[in-house]
Amino acid sequence: MAAPNASATQPVHLRLPAGMRMDDEQFFDFCEANADYRIERNANGDIEIMPPTGGETGRRNSDLITDLNIWARQDGRGVVFDSSTGFRLPNGATRSPDAAWVSRAQLARLKDADEDRFLPLAPDFVLELASPNDDPVTLDAKMQEYRANGVRLGWLLFPAEKQVRIYRPAAPPATLDAPASLDGDDVLAGLELDLTRIWEPAL
């Protein structure tokens, strides 16, 4: 199956000089000082500045967050986080998925962590929603990174192609074409996420 087409517009990558790397506090302060931007950091310490999304992508992401939150509040086993949340992964990268869910069991282990800072963990579940300017190869690499760092379930959605890639531990990604819904497997047991609004533009 052919991959969705990539656009020329990509995140901006800022490489620090050799031997220079921000520690976690410095990187947090850097992000706070540039709060108008969505900033991530890869495992090598390089800074990645994400381009803003368009209105349709923003609407879709809002729908997904709303549906996840409604389920999570009823389920009670975990907490949903939006794209403004940073997670410090075990490999040293700091990532901000479009949506994430973390079990309360994981959160309870953060006894000494400052919850107003980036959370030092890999979410149990992540969701990334592709914008028209996103490179599918880059997004796939990010999803593979999530999985390698302990994320138990990942969904990568391509609205223009009505395609979903599902990432699970110790398995190759599974691709679904135009599914009407997604179920949360054992990780998000009981979740049935309606995708019909995601596949159709509303603006």
Side-chain angles (χ1 to χ4, degrees), residues 16-190:
L16 299 181
M20 180 183 295
R21 180 183 176 119
M22 296 183 196
D23 63 25
D24 292 335
E25 289 296 315
Q26 290 169 331
F27 179 62
F28 182 86
D29 292 341
F30 175 81
C31 293
E32 287 283 283
N34 297 277
D36 291 340
Y37 299 93
R38 181 178 171 188
I39 303 171
E40 297 184 340
R41 178 173 60 172
N42 67 24
N44 296 322
D46 298 331
I47 307 302
E48 301 177 0
I49 302 176
M50 308 296 140
T53 64
E56 193 61 77
T57 299
R59 190 275 303 174
R60 287 178 168 125
N61 205 54
S62 179
D63 274 348
L64 291 166
I65 286 283
T66 298
D67 289 346
L68 285 170
N69 239 331
I70 290 172
W71 167 81
R73 288 181 177 181
Q74 294 172 342
D75 178 78
R77 293 180 299 121
V79 178
V80 173
F81 296 90
D82 69 9
S83 61
S84 62
T85 308
F87 294 92
R88 287 197 341 256
L89 303 181
N91 70 345
T94 300
R95 297 298 186 187
S96 298
D98 289 324
W101 180 87
V102 181
S103 67
R104 293 191 184 277
Q106 267 221 87
L107 293 173
R109 294 196 287 268
L110 301 181
K111 295 179 181 178
D112 300 322
D114 184 348
E115 294 183 2
D116 286 330
R117 300 276 174 161
F118 299 137
L119 294 177
L121 56 81
D124 296 271
F125 163 79
V126 298
L127 182 150
E128 292 284 1
L129 178 67
S131 300
N133 60 352
D134 284 333
D135 176 14
V137 174
T138 300
L139 288 176
D140 178 72
K142 183 180 287 189
M143 298 301 293
Q144 300 283 4
E145 179 184 52
Y146 286 137
R147 183 174 64 177
N149 278 269
V151 171
R152 298 161 55 205
L153 177 64
W155 292 342
L156 174 55
L157 277 61
F158 293 97
E161 292 78 13
K162 298 184 180 181
Q163 185 183 95
V164 179
R165 294 180 189 168
I166 302 175
Y167 296 77
R168 301 179 179 94
T175 300
L176 302 179
D177 290 312
S181 64
L182 288 172
D183 70 75
D185 292 351
D186 294 337
V187 180
L188 307 178

